[in-house]
Amino acid sequence: MTQTATVSMDKIVSLCKRKGFVFQASEIYGGIGNTYDYGPLGVELLRRVKDAWWNRIVVERDDVVGLDSAIIQNPKVWEVSGHVGGFSDPMVDCKKCKARFRADKLEDARCPEKPSKIPGQCAGELTEARAFNLMFKTNIGPVEATGSTAYLRPETAQGIFLNFQNVMNSGRLKPPFGIAQIGKSFRNEITPGNFVFRTREFEQAEMEFFVPPAESDRWYAYWREQRYEWYLALGLDESKLRMRDHAAEELAHYSTGTADIEYEYPFGWGELEGIACRTDFDLSRHAEASVVDLRYFDPETKERWFPYVIEPAGGINRMALTFLIDAYEEQPLEKETRTVLHFHPEIAPITVGVFPLVKKEGMPERAREIEAELRRARVATFYDEKGAIGRRYRRQDEAGTPYCVTIDGETLSDDVVTVRHRDSMQQERVKSAEIREYILEQMRTWKRPQREG
Ligand code: ATP
């Protein structure tokens, strides 16, 4: 596979706005830091990424079930999990420009003064680093009294630990089994975000896989590999993906193994997803604090034990951004450069563009019929009759639509349509009665195209 040229973040941000993937939140009021809204194409992309994750982790397996736990839990949860005391970033303040930066990410930060510099380079003195808790606080009830403080969850995982027994007992489950959840998490991030890479609210996809302690090394290796393979199967460039195992001194005190799947973003290598063996840390802490026995009881051996937990934890928005960056290509053609997103068809926001060649002679009507058929079969379509056919293809290339179906004069007489492929730009004639099956087959056999470096 060839290595693809790195695209700048500015180009990604501008494409996202132009095509309706991502907008700045509260834009008309000047925005709000590190917060974004997703437009029509963006929301479809997020949905497809979530479905692809859920299908792989839950639907295709018989040992993982789903959960949807509350965002606001009993505040005790976050004390026991260690988030109240320890979920913080070290922050420094610049005494000159008064801005605040993450002490461990100074090289990524820029100070607000112009020309902006790396903090400390503007001759402003930086304060000592202080811990800044990342959790958003809120209040329960009408009065802001002591004891009414609650937190917006900074991760979805704790909701899974809290429901471990409920899920196990109601489903009559026995380790090894997993509980998966997709949902919003909130972190009061201070560092600049690199667009949607780091935002204050984001969706996480997490799975806690509970195993007999003696099997934890094997399951950790298994999930580490499974998650890496998933990104490759969805078309990410292998040369921009790597697995980084945490060194012993980097591991959380309770973890026997942690690895990050990293991607080479335009701003450098960054974490896309983490896989960790969390041992029995969370269950045993919650059992102790709640005085509820959260051990598994084995009816055969009559033994009670805490399972160990393997956790793959990724961010849906970060995944979507990664697929977008990876899919982006400015491809030089003979007379022009085309911008194209080579999404895997499974995650492309629109699967098929449907066009009448011209806006007359019954072509729009036939095109509408074919489009309606595809929609009924749950194929995401987009109907377009505006402008030259070449321009319509380009618009769908930029949206990442893998196939376009054009209805022309011949379609009306012999019911054959033209299918144009986004990646190769090649065209084929296909019987309109077979179009749905043809598209589904193409989706199943899609391969990431080779690209110029
Ligand atoms: P980072 O080091 O980037 O702050 P983290 O190690 O704190 O991430 P985890 O707590 O392991 O992240 O969260 C799991 C996943 O959730 C990350 O791999 C990432 O994909 C996603 N994620 C975490 N924080 C954010 C954020 N602020 N915005 C978007 N996605 C995030």
Side-chain angles (χ1 to χ4, degrees):
M1 178 145 321
T2 54
Q3 170 132 12
T4 48
T6 302
V7 52
S8 75
M9 281 309 283
D10 286 349
K11 285 196 173 161
I12 295 292
V13 175
S14 127
L15 175 97
C16 280
K17 175 153 193 197
R18 189 167 75 242
K19 297 301 287 185
F21 280 97
V22 182
F23 308 122
Q24 192 182 15
S26 309
E27 191 177 3
I28 60 169
Y29 290 106
I32 173 164
N34 291 11
T35 311
Y36 295 89
D37 296 334
Y38 287 76
L41 289 187
V43 82
E44 294 296 336
L45 177 61
L46 291 179
R47 264 179 187 283
R48 305 258 190 283
V49 173
K50 280 187 270 191
D51 284 350
W53 188 88
W54 195 262
N55 284 338
R56 177 58 70 88
I57 299 279
V58 181
V59 178
E60 291 169 19
R61 303 183 63 98
D62 62 2
D63 56 0
V64 180
V65 292
L67 179 77
D68 190 21
S69 67
I71 286 172
I72 298 176
Q73 299 280 356
N74 188 315
K76 192 103 179 97
V77 172
W78 308 110
E79 284 166 30
V80 175
S81 67
H83 286 84
V84 171
F87 191 54
S88 54
D89 283 337
M91 306 301 297
V92 292
D93 294 312
C94 173
K95 290 186 181 166
K96 189 167 163 227
C97 70
K98 309 286 180 224
R100 180 166 286 178
F101 310 98
R102 227 171 109 169
D104 58 337
K105 301 250 183 219
L106 282 181
E107 62 291 351
D108 297 341
R110 291 291 173 273
C111 88
E113 295 202 337
K114 297 288 171 224
S116 65
K117 298 202 171 69
I118 292 176
Q121 285 185 352
C122 67
E125 195 191 331
L126 298 177
T127 60
E128 288 283 305
R130 277 175 307 176
F132 177 84
N133 196 290
L134 294 176
M135 277 199 296
F136 276 102
K137 274 190 195 157
T138 185
N139 287 90
I140 291 178
V143 189
E144 280 194 29
T146 342
S148 70
T149 302
Y151 302 95
L152 303 189
R153 69 178 173 202
E155 61 170 38
T156 63
Q158 294 304 320
I160 298 181
F161 297 123
L162 300 176
N163 284 285
F164 167 68
Q165 264 204 347
N166 287 336
V167 173
M168 181 169 66
N169 294 343
S170 60
R172 300 161 62 84
L173 302 171
K174 176 182 176 176
F177 73 88
I179 305 177
Q181 167 156 238
I182 296 179
K184 282 246 168 146
S185 291
F186 302 82
R187 296 183 187 179
N188 200 356
E189 303 273 9
I190 300 296
T191 33
N194 281 323
F195 196 36
V196 293
F197 179 81
R198 188 182 304 288
T199 50
R200 297 210 165 101
E201 59 173 276
F202 54 99
E203 256 177 316
Q204 282 191 308
E206 298 192 288
M207 197 268 290
E208 309 302 317
F209 200 74
F210 301 93
V211 303
E215 295 176 20
S216 69
D217 287 350
R218 181 166 68 79
W219 281 109
Y220 171 65
Y222 170 85
W223 280 110
R224 195 178 160 283
E225 170 142 351
Q226 282 283 309
R227 295 306 303 142
Y228 193 81
E229 287 303 319
W230 183 76
Y231 288 106
L232 290 183
L234 282 177
L236 285 194
D237 182 349
E238 200 170 355
S239 69
K240 289 186 182 263
L241 206 59
R242 74 179 182 198
M243 184 71 85
R244 190 181 69 78
D245 288 298
H246 286 206
E249 61 275 14
E250 210 186 329
L251 285 180
H253 66 88
Y254 50 78
S255 176
T256 54
T258 299
D260 290 342
I261 298 176
E262 295 187 335
Y263 183 81
E264 191 179 12
Y265 295 94
F267 45 85
W269 288 93
E271 174 183 331
L272 172 55
E273 168 164 345
I275 299 103
C277 175
R278 299 180 63 96
T279 61
D280 60 2
F281 176 73
D282 306 87
L283 284 182
S284 59
R285 296 259 304 208
H286 284 305
E288 193 185 335
S290 64
V291 206
V292 174
D293 190 352
L294 295 178
R295 289 174 299 175
Y296 167 71
F297 174 69
D298 189 332
E300 278 158 34
T301 61
K302 309 278 184 251
E303 283 173 350
R304 282 182 194 277
W305 41 271
F306 283 114
Y308 272 23
V309 171
I310 314 300
E311 174 194 80
I316 294 292
N317 313 74
R318 205 175 278 186
M319 291 176 194
L321 173 70
T322 311
F323 287 124
L324 219 145
I325 291 171
D326 196 77
Y328 186 97
E329 185 185 22
E330 284 178 15
Q331 190 180 27
L333 304 177
E334 243 170 59
K335 293 197 189 119
E336 55 169 334
T337 299
R338 78 164 177 149
T339 302
V340 51
L341 293 177
H342 297 282
F343 284 132
H344 187 296
E346 194 179 334
I347 57 165
I350 302 165
T351 312
V352 183
V354 182
F355 313 148
L357 184 62
V358 290
K359 243 191 314 186
K360 54 185 180 192
E361 292 158 22
M363 287 180 221
E365 291 74 14
R366 184 71 191 109
R368 286 283 191 194
E369 277 170 22
I370 290 175
E371 197 217 0
E373 259 169 56
L374 287 167
R375 275 183 194 272
R376 270 198 299 277
R378 297 276 182 275
V379 177
T381 58
F382 183 82
Y383 177 86
D384 190 1
E385 58 180 25
K386 293 183 214 86
I389 192 80
R391 234 175 291 137
R392 283 182 259 169
Y393 286 146
R394 290 289 177 277
R395 287 202 285 264
Q396 291 309 309
D397 288 342
E398 274 203 321
T401 306
Y403 315 104
C404 290
V405 169
T406 301
I407 284 78
D408 56 25
E410 265 183 70
T411 312
L412 304 176
S413 55
D414 59 10
D415 241 351
V416 172
V417 296
T418 301
V419 177
R420 184 262 194 186
H421 295 258
R422 172 198 67 198
D423 298 331
S424 63
M425 293 186 287
Q426 279 175 358
Q427 305 195 355
E428 278 177 87
R429 303 287 284 167
V430 178
K431 282 240 161 246
S432 64
E434 290 158 17
I435 192 70
R436 192 180 78 96
E437 276 314 308
Y438 175 85
I439 296 286
L440 294 180
E441 180 58 19
Q442 293 296 316
M443 290 176 76
R444 273 193 291 273
T445 53
W446 181 85
K447 290 255 172 336
R448 184 189 154 88
Q450 294 281 331
R451 295 195 224 157
E452 294 302 311

